Amino acid sequence: MLHRPDSRGCLVRLVLLCYFFLIALLTAVPATSASTDQGRVTTVGDAQTPSPAEVSHAIDLAAGYLERACGPDGKFAYKVEIGSGRESPSYDIIRHAGAMYALAMVNRSHPDPQAVAALTRAAKFLRENYIGPSVRPGLQVVWSQPLAESPEGFHSKPRERYAELGGTGLGLVALAAARQVDPASAPLDQLQALGRLALFLQRDDGSFVHKYRAEGGPVPNWEILYYPGEAALGFIALYEADHSREWLVAADKALSYLARTRAGFATVPADHWALIATAKLLPYCEERGCSASREELVRHAVQVCQSILRDQFKGSAAVGLDGAFDPS
């Protein structure tokens, strides 16, 4: 995945977010909703949006890159310096899982054997190198470092093994997607063991402990914005795999907590994973009922979207920033 030396590691996540947006846009822009001019959709005021064909082409380019970036062992080229072509030795297993999710999305919208092959390779790499037992029986964890990595850090100081909620949440999403195309690539009992770890980290009010150390257990007062939404999406993916209601209840509690604690604020964090999880949860709430009301969940989604829109640069075309969210 491309990385400019001055981008401080943000480009990997940005590429995946743009990729998710492209697939959403393809399904949101009907070909007959507006007049077309040389294949491009035009809307009121001549504001131009990409045509479905242009979006499909962009998806093909992004998918092709992800497929080529996934090596024979299932590991992605995580960061590649554009100038030299040198690949960084650093790796983030949470974004590995996010790339798997993107490959699954492209296969659903554009059936692609190469995407399926890369997805199953990546699932094998994740399972063999990062998933292992917790210190508690019956729980499995997506550890933040490879299982085979030495516990000795720099200067021979011991380094604790730790896991992050987001790794287990997106690990569930990714492996559930791999299981849909190849059940042998992700055994259901392993997904359920990961789900039990996420349940263990969830508090009664729906919030989570975000970090877990093998030597010390849950780490208090350490939070990452995206982890609850990722965990909720993981619970929903697991529910779709085994239809056990406990996972749906856990996702409901997680998103309800976010909605309650952010209610009334003019600006809330740009929590895109909570948006994705909310979109997945709402149909199940309508069918089976949830503790959170539809109005509560939608109100929170609107808050997030409005905050994102307020952060967007507008009218900055002269310097190339019109439509961007960050100068870099």
Side-chain angles (χ1 to χ4, degrees):
M1 298 173 188
L2 299 179
H3 170 69
R4 293 189 185 278
D6 61 350
S7 70
R8 290 172 290 178
C10 295
L11 190 55
V12 174
R13 181 165 60 86
L14 185 59
V15 167
L16 292 177
L17 295 184
C18 290
Y19 185 71
F20 299 154
F21 169 75
L22 285 170
I23 294 180
L25 181 63
L26 181 64
T27 61
V29 180
T32 59
S33 64
S35 62
T36 59
D37 179 15
Q38 296 181 344
R40 181 181 287 275
V41 174
T42 59
T43 57
V44 176
D46 287 332
Q48 294 182 329
T49 60
S51 71
E54 289 171 317
V55 175
S56 290
H57 180 60
I59 290 173
D60 289 341
L61 292 174
Y65 180 79
L66 284 177
E67 291 159 9
R68 294 191 301 275
C70 185
D73 63 351
K75 183 179 182 180
F76 290 94
Y78 178 60
K79 294 181 185 177
V80 179
E81 201 169 274
I82 294 173
S84 67
R86 185 169 58 249
E87 187 175 332
S88 169
S90 66
Y91 209 69
D92 188 323
I93 197 60
I94 299 178
R95 291 178 184 165
H96 175 104
M100 289 176 62
Y101 180 44
L103 288 167
M105 289 178 74
V106 74
N107 184 62
R108 284 195 293 269
S109 65
H110 297 61
D112 181 353
Q114 295 302 316
V116 171
L119 176 60
T120 53
R121 292 199 305 274
K124 184 173 185 289
F125 178 84
L126 171 61
R127 293 182 59 228
E128 290 182 351
N129 292 280
Y130 284 87
I131 296 180
S134 162
V135 293
R136 291 175 175 263
L139 309 184
Q140 291 207 342
V141 186
V142 177
W143 296 106
S144 295
Q145 296 91 22
L147 299 176
E149 192 170 286
S150 169
E152 298 297 317
F154 293 110
H155 310 300
S156 298
K157 291 182 179 179
R159 182 177 59 197
E160 288 186 307
R161 177 171 290 174
Y162 69 94
E164 298 176 14
L165 175 68
T168 296
L170 280 192
L172 270 171
V173 173
L175 291 175
R179 180 177 170 79
Q180 287 182 336
V181 298
D182 179 8
S185 68
L188 182 59
D189 59 350
Q190 186 169 58
L191 271 64
Q192 291 165 332
L194 291 171
R196 286 192 291 271
L197 185 279
L199 280 180
F200 168 68
L201 295 178
Q202 188 175 38
R203 303 184 181 98
D204 290 340
D205 63 0
S207 65
F208 291 93
V209 172
H210 288 212
K211 192 170 186 176
Y212 176 92
R213 292 191 184 277
E215 292 79 3
V219 178
N221 304 319
W222 193 93
E223 294 187 355
I224 297 294
L225 167 63
Y226 304 116
Y227 287 0
E230 291 169 345
L233 190 60
F235 284 137
I236 297 167
L238 187 48
Y239 171 76
E240 291 174 339
D242 73 0
H243 306 292
S244 174
R245 187 168 172 78
E246 66 175 328
W247 313 123
L248 204 60
V249 170
D252 173 21
K253 287 172 59 179
L255 294 175
S256 178
Y257 175 84
L258 294 178
R260 291 195 315 273
T261 56
R262 294 171 179 171
F265 286 91
T267 300
V268 299
D271 193 349
H272 59 278
W273 285 110
L275 285 180
I276 296 171
T278 298
K280 293 285 287 184
L281 180 66
L282 283 173
Y284 295 119
C285 287
E286 291 172 357
E287 293 174 12
R288 297 164 179 79
C290 289
S291 64
S293 69
R294 177 182 176 84
E295 290 73 22
E296 179 182 47
L297 293 174
V298 171
R299 190 183 306 116
H300 174 238
V302 170
Q303 283 180 285
V304 175
C305 290
Q306 289 176 336
S307 291
I308 292 172
L309 289 174
R310 277 194 291 268
D311 285 344
Q312 189 174 30
F313 289 107
K314 300 181 181 71
S316 305
V319 292
L321 292 179
D322 191 33
F325 292 89
D326 185 274
S328 65

